[in-house]
Amino acid sequence: MAKMTLEDLHRIREQMKPELQKREPEGKKFQIIVGMGTCGIAAGAKAVLDAFIDELDARGMGGFVSVRQSGCMEKCSEEPMVEVIGAGAEPVIYGKVTPAAVKDIVQTHLIGGTPVSALVVSGAGA
């Protein structure tokens, strides 16, 4: 494998900046946190994380929503779990989230302001 130069590293950092900005919560209206502990991953959390990123990108919402992952969310039977934290609002934790449910969470909760009650495990609307 060829050695990387400092210029190579700077170029890679610049290329990755948009992806890294998606994880930065500072100044964002919402934070989406996907539980990526072992049980979450086994239940499909990676596909859910990818679905959120794809949906937010498709809607041009990356500038005001951060998407990141956490470890275990301590309710294995509810995995994949997603926490949505809105500015000035009580956090909402969703359980058994599927990639298909992501569009509904984005449309109904993030855009419409109402949690998707059928998926809520705790928080507003529980």
Side-chain angles (χ1 to χ4, degrees):
M1 185 168 133
K3 288 185 179 181
M4 294 188 84
T5 66
L6 186 57
E7 291 81 26
D8 292 335
L9 293 174
H10 286 300
R11 188 179 67 255
I12 291 168
R13 182 177 68 183
E14 288 302 312
Q15 289 172 343
M16 294 305 296
K17 270 187 180 178
E19 292 302 313
L20 294 172
Q21 284 294 85
K22 293 175 185 175
R23 297 175 186 225
E24 179 58 47
E26 192 67 35
K28 306 276 177 84
K29 185 175 179 180
F30 288 99
Q31 293 180 57
I32 296 171
I33 303 167
V34 180
M36 296 284 285
T38 305
C39 54
I41 293 169
K46 176 68 170 111
V48 170
L49 179 78
D50 292 343
F52 269 110
I53 291 169
D54 292 346
E55 183 67 15
L56 294 169
D57 282 351
R59 291 176 181 256
M61 296 174 67
F64 70 95
V65 181
S66 73
V67 180
R68 56 194 176 98
Q69 58 192 45
S70 72
C72 180
M73 295 181 87
E74 300 187 13
K75 279 195 170 180
C76 298
S77 64
E78 296 295 328
E79 292 289 357
M81 293 181 71
V82 173
E83 182 174 13
V84 176
I85 303 171
E90 182 180 346
V92 176
I93 298 175
Y94 292 107
K96 299 186 191 245
V97 178
T98 64
V102 166
K103 286 184 181 193
D104 197 24
I105 293 171
V106 170
Q107 180 64 44
T108 304
H109 189 159
L110 275 57
I111 295 172
T114 304
V116 180
S117 59
L119 297 172
V120 173
V121 174
S122 67

